[in-house]
Amino acid sequence: MTVYLLRRLFQSLLVLIAMSIIVFVGVYAVGDPVEILISPDADQAERARAIVALGLDRPLWQQYLVFVQNALRGDLGRSFVFNEPALQLILQKMPATMELAFGATIFAILVGLPLGLYAGLHPDSAGAKAIMAGSILGFSLPTFWVGLMLIMVFAVQLGWLPSTGRGETLWGWSFLTANGISHLILPSINLALFKISLVIRLTRSGVRETMLMDYVKFARAKGLSPARVTYVHVFKNILIPVVTVVGLELGSTIAFSVVTESVFAWPGMGKLIIDSINVLDRPVIVAYLMIIVLMFIVINLVVDIMYSVLDPRVRLEGQG
């Protein structure tokens, strides 16, 4: 286990370095923030002072080295717009995005697993066919359109839930208050629809494949109850692919919650990055992307470790 963890940490470091170069060069090669931040009426002397103040007068490789040196000290640069540390801006918005992503993931698991299990155990039933048809809709419908429809029905017409905002918070988290939970429901459902469809299809295919295995047939032949066969022999063995996909989808949910946050005016990292892109606030963009890369690396490592917990047959030494 120790050798495996050290190997994975070294690989993660290489990935982080490579991604930092790609992200930095890609972001800093696009546009000129001075054109947006400085008034068009400014003279050349004022523009020159702004370029020097922002550090844009140096060659790109020097700017990258400065970025790396500062990053090793925990400084990912200062926002051009807010004149605050970019990392501080992102960390201020991170709780909102994290609770939205975790809320969507939990909702996807609670809804997707039972529906997928039912569809796998009763593939020819009308309910299973309806579930699979619904999963197709979950894959097909645009997220922004679904969000607008949720607002129209549940907030405007029925008045059951608030349409936008994060609501009241306690210690920086909205799920700790009733008002915050009411604000969290609609965006979590909207963000979870694609994940629900994915979990349904993954669970169903896993159940259909596992039901044909010899150990399941043997368990039935021993006279075990259908519930024990399902939840002990079938359900346990389909958790590994589900955990893998859900873990990776958690990272993508955090990274791509931009649309949902924009539709529901959710004050998270997604809204911050959209605003930063509009004004070419490069330090914030680079810091955001690097944090997302780090999250993906950590999530992948956690998912790999969970393999051995769910199935002792999986040998971590043989991976990576």
Side-chain angles (χ1 to χ4, degrees):
M1 176 67 76
T2 303
V3 174
Y4 170 77
L5 287 177
L6 291 176
R7 186 190 308 123
R8 284 304 308 271
L9 289 174
F10 179 72
Q11 293 173 350
S12 300
L13 180 60
L14 294 180
V15 171
L16 192 61
I17 294 174
M19 287 305 301
S20 69
I21 296 174
I22 295 172
V23 167
F24 191 89
V25 173
V27 171
Y28 274 73
V30 176
D32 184 5
V34 176
E35 296 293 338
I36 297 177
L37 299 175
I38 302 300
S39 172
D41 299 329
D43 56 23
Q44 290 300 320
E46 186 175 353
R47 292 173 58 86
R49 286 194 296 270
I51 291 174
V52 173
L54 297 176
L56 301 177
D57 58 325
R58 304 175 182 176
L60 189 59
W61 66 271
Q62 287 187 7
Q63 295 183 45
Y64 175 74
L65 290 181
V66 171
F67 168 77
V68 172
Q69 291 172 0
N70 293 334
L72 293 176
R73 298 195 299 266
D75 180 7
L76 296 180
R78 297 185 69 85
S79 168
F80 292 164
V81 177
F82 299 99
N83 195 29
E84 295 182 19
L87 183 59
Q88 178 179 324
L89 289 173
I90 294 172
L91 292 180
Q92 289 173 353
K93 303 293 184 180
M94 185 178 290
T97 297
M98 294 298 290
E99 67 180 0
L100 180 60
F102 277 101
T105 302
I106 292 172
F107 190 80
I109 293 173
L110 293 179
V111 175
L113 278 180
L115 293 180
L117 191 61
Y118 178 84
L121 294 174
H122 310 282
D124 298 323
S125 66
K129 294 178 180 178
I131 290 171
M132 298 311 296
S135 69
I136 296 176
L137 287 178
F139 280 121
S140 306
L141 295 177
T143 302
F144 72 90
W145 183 84
V146 174
L148 293 175
M149 292 301 101
L150 289 174
I151 293 175
M152 180 69 70
V153 174
F154 294 100
V156 177
Q157 295 183 353
L158 298 177
W160 291 353
L161 296 168
S163 59
T164 58
R166 195 180 175 202
E168 297 178 1
T169 60
L170 180 62
W171 300 315
W173 300 96
S174 62
F175 71 89
L176 297 177
T177 66
N179 181 263
I181 292 177
S182 66
H183 282 78
L184 184 61
I185 293 175
L186 287 185
S188 294
I189 293 175
N190 183 56
L191 192 59
L193 286 180
F194 179 85
K195 277 64 179 177
I196 291 174
S197 301
L198 190 62
V199 172
I200 287 175
R201 288 185 167 272
L202 187 65
T203 304
R204 178 187 180 277
S205 63
V207 170
R208 298 302 301 155
E209 181 179 353
T210 306
M211 293 296 289
L212 301 176
M213 295 295 179
D214 290 337
Y215 63 84
V216 175
K217 297 178 181 178
F218 182 71
R220 285 177 168 176
K222 288 172 58 179
L224 298 180
S225 65
R228 182 172 178 80
V229 172
T230 299
Y231 294 105
V232 175
H233 296 279
V234 176
F235 188 70
K236 182 180 179 180
N237 285 280
I238 66 173
L239 280 182
I240 287 182
V242 172
V243 167
T244 303
V245 173
V246 169
L248 297 178
E249 283 298 312
L250 175 61
S252 65
T253 302
I254 296 172
F256 303 117
S257 61
V258 176
V259 175
T260 297
E261 291 185 6
S262 299
V263 171
F264 290 91
W266 190 263
M269 294 190 298
K271 190 173 184 303
L272 173 65
I273 194 62
I274 288 295
D275 295 338
S276 299
I277 291 174
N278 289 333
V279 296
L280 280 180
D281 196 348
R282 289 172 171 174
V284 175
I285 299 173
V286 172
Y288 170 83
L289 294 176
M290 292 308 303
I291 289 176
I292 293 300
V293 170
L294 184 60
M295 284 184 178
F296 268 100
I297 291 173
V298 172
I299 290 173
N300 273 283
L301 183 60
V302 171
V303 168
D304 285 346
I305 294 175
M306 289 183 65
Y307 282 166
S308 64
V309 176
L310 293 173
D311 190 348
R313 294 172 300 175
V314 176
R315 290 293 178 262
L316 293 176
E317 291 80 5
Q319 300 180 17

